[in-house]
Amino acid sequence: MDIDIQKNGFYLALGGVLVVYIISYLLFISPEQQKIKKQSNTLSSKNKQIQEYLNKQSNLPNDKIIEYHKQQRTLLEKNLAESLEFFKEKDKELEKWFDVINETLEKTGNKLPELDYFQVVYAREKNNLVNHYLSKTEGLKISKAKKDDFASDLELDPKNKGKEIEAILPFVSPREIVTNSHMKRVQKQFWLIQNFLKFLELGKMKSLTKYKFVNQWQDSVDENFVARTIEVSGNIEYGDIPFLVEAVLNNKDFLTEITYLGVKRDTAYKPGAILVDVKWGQTEEQALKEYTDKNPDKGNLPLVEVTLRCDVLDYQGK
């Protein structure tokens, strides 16, 4: 088809301009737009990050926050020092030596006593403790469990009674103390024996029938403590068990934790009937009070056997 250039020149020129524009757009303008769009997206992302940063600036370290954390660190260090001092204070009773040995160490400047000297002092202190409970007429008694209420003449002999006490309390023979580490262990065990007897008496235990150290004396709780486990058995009135628990846990000498408490009673026991004579003009309450005043032991339940296992925390920290 022939095109009249003169008649259609305007349209041909317009088409040529359009073709040139399209080619220029594809070659120059479109890449620049893509570049601008990419830069715009980058700027938008950076702006978002900046806004997030500004929103969180209240949590950024500043002088006020740094000062606060310094104060908290000082407070924590103070609390830690007080806790360690408390543990050391509670550990003094377990770590000390006999008074006479301690006086000698202070004079000589030595850290440990001589083995033979310790053996002599230990034997003397052990005998003093045994004799104390041998001569007691009231309070805590130390004796083996009896099958009946009748003691033979042999059991009543003071010599045999002393041997019985030594058989119950886990003392060692002075001749068995042959090393410094054993000497320190025996010293600690002595304090545990002596002081726990005091706790049991404060806890209203009537008689002690068993006392032993458990778990070979070396149960680590963590890097700061070793548990010295003790197990005792004896007789006590059922209503006094809370006093026993309180005496052990609230003692002033050791850090203690009760891990087991068992109670046994005489299942064959059957209380007998108690007849109270109500006199003329008396109320039942008055008659009962008069009867109990005259017969304080009547109506009392038999003692129960209690077994208590306790960990004493031996502080090992520096």
Side-chain angles (χ1 to χ4, degrees):
M1 179 177 66
D2 296 331
I3 299 175
D4 189 345
I5 297 176
Q6 291 181 348
K7 292 182 178 180
N8 299 290
F10 172 76
Y11 297 104
L12 291 174
L14 183 62
V17 171
L18 181 61
V19 170
V20 172
Y21 176 78
I22 292 173
I23 293 173
S24 299
Y25 177 82
L26 293 175
L27 292 177
F28 303 105
I29 299 176
S30 181
E32 285 298 322
Q33 283 187 335
Q34 294 295 326
K35 183 177 179 181
I36 292 171
K37 184 177 180 180
K38 183 177 180 181
Q39 290 175 342
S40 176
N41 290 337
T42 301
L43 289 174
S44 177
S45 176
K46 294 294 184 181
N47 181 63
K48 184 179 179 180
Q49 293 177 5
I50 291 172
Q51 290 299 323
E52 291 177 351
Y53 175 83
L54 293 175
N55 291 336
K56 295 180 180 179
Q57 66 178 343
S58 59
N59 296 325
L60 293 176
N62 53 56
D63 292 343
K64 185 176 180 180
I65 292 177
I66 292 173
E67 181 61 28
Y68 170 78
H69 284 287
K70 284 183 178 180
Q71 293 175 359
Q72 292 300 305
R73 177 176 179 176
T74 301
L75 180 61
L76 288 174
E77 290 176 345
K78 177 184 176 183
N79 291 338
L80 177 60
E82 290 177 352
S83 298
L84 295 178
E85 189 60 33
F86 173 79
F87 295 146
K88 291 177 183 178
E89 188 66 27
K90 278 289 187 179
D91 199 47
K92 284 183 178 180
E93 186 68 20
L94 200 58
E95 298 294 338
K96 70 179 185 179
W97 298 98
F98 292 119
D99 290 342
V100 64
I101 289 180
N102 190 56
E103 292 174 3
T104 302
L105 293 178
E106 289 180 353
K107 291 179 181 178
T108 61
N110 296 330
K111 293 184 178 180
L112 293 172
E114 298 293 334
L115 274 171
D116 55 352
Y117 180 52
F118 179 82
Q119 290 172 342
V120 173
V121 176
Y122 175 78
R124 184 182 66 203
E125 295 294 332
K126 180 191 70 149
N127 291 335
N128 289 341
L129 186 59
V130 170
N131 291 332
H132 171 72
Y133 283 91
L134 183 62
S135 60
K136 279 174 65 68
T137 57
E138 295 181 353
L140 179 68
K141 308 291 179 59
I142 302 176
S143 62
K144 294 180 181 178
K146 302 294 191 303
K147 295 182 179 180
D148 53 52
D149 295 331
F150 300 96
S152 66
D153 292 339
L154 184 63
E155 290 172 330
L156 293 175
D157 186 284
K159 293 182 180 179
N160 291 315
K161 187 64 177 176
K163 292 179 181 179
E164 182 179 336
I165 293 175
E166 290 193 42
I168 294 172
L169 300 179
F171 291 118
V172 301
S173 170
R175 293 189 298 272
E176 297 176 5
I177 308 172
V178 294
T179 65
N180 290 337
S181 60
H182 194 199
M183 178 171 60
K184 190 61 179 178
R185 169 177 173 172
V186 168
Q187 177 69 91
K188 289 185 176 183
Q189 289 179 340
F190 182 90
W191 297 132
L192 290 174
I193 294 171
Q194 176 179 269
N195 290 32
F196 258 82
L197 291 176
K198 179 179 64 177
F199 305 156
L200 298 179
E201 187 151 11
L202 288 173
K204 299 187 178 183
M205 182 177 278
K206 301 297 183 182
S207 63
L208 176 69
T209 58
K210 183 178 73 173
Y211 188 124
K212 70 175 183 178
F213 295 111
V214 185
N215 298 337
Q216 289 77 48
W217 191 252
Q218 288 292 338
D219 271 2
S220 294
V221 178
D222 55 32
E223 61 182 7
N224 291 318
F225 294 97
V226 172
R228 310 303 187 186
T229 306
I230 296 166
E231 184 175 292
V232 296
S233 295
N235 299 314
I236 190 173
E237 291 186 8
Y238 181 79
D240 289 337
I241 293 178
F243 294 106
L244 176 63
V245 172
E246 181 181 9
V248 172
L249 293 181
N250 291 344
N251 77 87
K252 297 180 180 180
D253 300 324
F254 306 128
L255 288 170
T256 53
E257 178 183 14
I258 294 176
T259 58
Y260 173 81
L261 180 66
V263 180
K264 292 182 180 179
R265 65 180 181 87
D266 183 2
T267 56
Y269 171 77
K270 292 182 179 180
I274 297 177
L275 300 177
V276 179
D277 183 22
V278 182
K279 299 177 182 178
W280 179 261
Q282 276 187 324
T283 64
E284 291 184 359
E285 290 77 9
Q286 290 172 337
L288 181 59
K289 184 178 184 306
E290 181 181 348
Y291 178 85
T292 53
D293 289 343
K294 293 181 178 179
N295 304 277
D297 295 330
K298 288 289 186 179
N300 289 343
L301 295 174
L303 299 177
V304 296
E305 179 184 345
V306 62
T307 298
L308 182 145
R309 184 172 294 180
C310 178
D311 285 345
V312 177
L313 300 182
D314 186 358
Y315 182 58
Q316 304 294 300
K318 301 298 183 182

